[in-house]
Amino acid sequence: MEVISRKLCDLYITLIGKPYPREKPDIIQDVSCQADGDWRSFQDFNWSDPCYWLKKTAAYIGATGVSVDQWLKEYTGSVEALRLIDMEIFERAKKRFEAALELGHLELRSDYIDMLYEKAGLHHALDDPAGAVRESTEAVRVMRELIASSASLDNTLKLCHLLNDNAKTLVKAGRAYESFTSFDLAAQLLKNIKPGIKYKNEVLKRQFAVYYSKAVTLNNIRECNKAIKVFNEAERVLAQIDFPADTRKEKSCLLNYYKTISLTEIDRFNQAIALGDQTIK
């Protein structure tokens, strides 16, 4: 929140030519840290001990046991070294899943999808966007296969999450224009869901995530008129979500920050100033 407020005040100076005139409210500065030795998280990504996925497949491919001692003894060194060891185990686990699925153990598809999702996060951590795209795209493909044989609301929501993640992964890989296929498919699937009261909030949260990510992507490639339309959709959905007040405020501020940038880019300065002022307050 403090970062957003500071950036909007800087934008105010750019537009008006003088400092923001009112005193900013006190905000506790956001703190983000990663504990020493915690190598299995990176930005928004987290992954399990990959030995878990090795063990998942043991009974399906005739393995009598899974020996991981040779890897565990090597779990020392830099964060990057530890992540590379994890990647070696993930690669072995992926081959085991593929072998089990080839043998007809389709009940493993859901676990395989989860493993691919985690592995994609590790590729991000290792600065390998192409690998992340490959695994994310494969997760979407298998999820669509699963839905074709076992359709359910939970599976559809999971597919929408995977599609949104796939789109963001494409963006990180410098393939922003390709991302809109996944963004739009996720948005359409969510629009078609008739969730009832029980799942309404969950569906709305997914919709907001898709609209927000798409709008930010459009803003970043300077498709600002399109971005503003999608930001407006995100605002409409956000207003319907049952969020705690602090969470709603945080998401609204982030949305308004990027929307202010889009308004500035298309010379709608008065609206940009008003929205920035509203957000800072």
Side-chain angles (χ1 to χ4, degrees):
M1 296 288 289
E2 173 66 24
V3 172
I4 294 171
S5 179
R6 189 167 59 248
K7 286 183 176 180
L8 285 169
C9 286
D10 290 343
L11 184 59
Y12 187 94
I13 293 172
T14 300
L15 294 174
I16 302 298
K18 57 184 179 181
Y20 185 68
R22 285 182 287 280
E23 184 176 344
K24 292 184 292 179
D26 291 333
I27 300 174
I28 298 175
Q29 185 163 352
D30 295 335
V31 177
S32 176
C33 64
Q34 182 171 297
D36 290 342
D38 179 15
W39 69 90
R40 290 187 174 129
S41 63
F42 175 75
Q43 297 177 354
D44 295 333
F45 303 100
N46 297 278
W47 56 93
S48 311
D49 180 344
C51 294
Y52 168 81
W53 298 114
L54 267 182
K55 293 173 183 177
K56 267 282 186 181
T57 59
Y60 293 90
I61 59 173
T64 57
V66 180
S67 175
V68 296
D69 291 346
Q70 67 193 65
W71 291 301
L72 295 181
K73 286 188 295 186
E74 297 177 30
Y75 267 78
T76 58
S78 68
V79 167
E80 184 176 10
L82 294 170
R83 287 172 176 171
L84 287 170
I85 294 171
D86 273 358
M87 182 58 76
E88 180 181 351
I89 304 172
F90 265 116
E91 292 290 356
R92 290 171 181 260
K94 182 181 179 183
K95 288 178 181 177
R96 288 194 169 198
F97 270 107
E98 289 171 343
L101 292 169
E102 187 69 25
L103 290 170
H105 297 296
L106 300 183
E107 65 272 26
L108 282 174
R109 284 183 297 190
S110 184
D111 285 329
Y112 181 49
I113 291 163
D114 291 341
M115 188 276 296
L116 289 169
Y117 177 78
E118 290 191 3
K119 188 170 182 286
L122 178 53
H123 280 285
H124 280 297
L126 291 171
D127 195 23
D128 177 19
V133 168
R134 181 182 64 249
E135 305 301 13
S136 175
T137 301
E138 175 69 357
V140 168
R141 183 191 68 78
V142 179
M143 192 70 227
R144 295 181 77 168
E145 280 185 359
L146 180 58
I147 287 177
S149 61
S150 180
S152 70
L153 179 56
D154 283 337
N155 281 344
T156 300
L157 288 174
K158 186 172 181 177
L159 174 59
C160 292
H161 172 73
L162 291 170
L163 284 165
N164 190 43
D165 181 75
N166 179 245
K168 292 190 292 183
T169 299
L170 285 163
V171 172
K172 288 176 183 290
R175 298 162 61 180
Y177 285 96
E178 295 176 57
S179 72
F180 298 119
T181 299
S182 291
F183 279 136
D184 292 343
L185 178 55
Q188 189 59 51
L189 287 169
L190 289 163
K191 189 175 181 180
N192 291 340
I193 290 175
K194 302 294 186 286
I197 297 298
K198 183 179 178 181
Y199 284 94
K200 182 180 179 181
N201 214 50
E202 183 61 31
V203 171
L204 288 170
K205 287 179 182 178
R206 303 279 186 185
Q207 281 185 309
F208 174 78
V210 171
Y211 285 138
Y212 173 77
S213 297
K214 181 182 178 182
V216 170
T217 301
L218 287 165
N219 172 79
N220 289 342
I221 61 173
R222 296 300 182 258
E223 295 276 1
C224 295
N225 282 302
K226 292 179 181 178
I228 289 168
K229 290 180 181 179
V230 184
F231 278 129
N232 290 340
E233 282 297 298
E235 283 182 305
R236 179 185 62 79
V237 172
L238 180 59
Q240 302 174 61
I241 300 174
D242 183 16
F243 270 138
D246 287 348
T247 302
R248 178 182 300 281
K249 183 177 181 180
E250 178 184 356
K251 292 185 180 297
S252 180
C253 285
L254 282 168
L255 190 155
N256 288 346
Y257 168 65
Y258 283 106
K259 187 177 177 181
T260 299
I261 293 174
S262 288
L263 288 166
T264 302
E265 287 290 329
I266 58 174
D267 298 337
R268 290 163 64 176
F269 299 126
N270 289 338
Q271 288 175 271
I273 292 166
L275 183 60
D277 189 26
Q278 172 192 324
T279 304
I280 293 168
K281 289 191 290 185

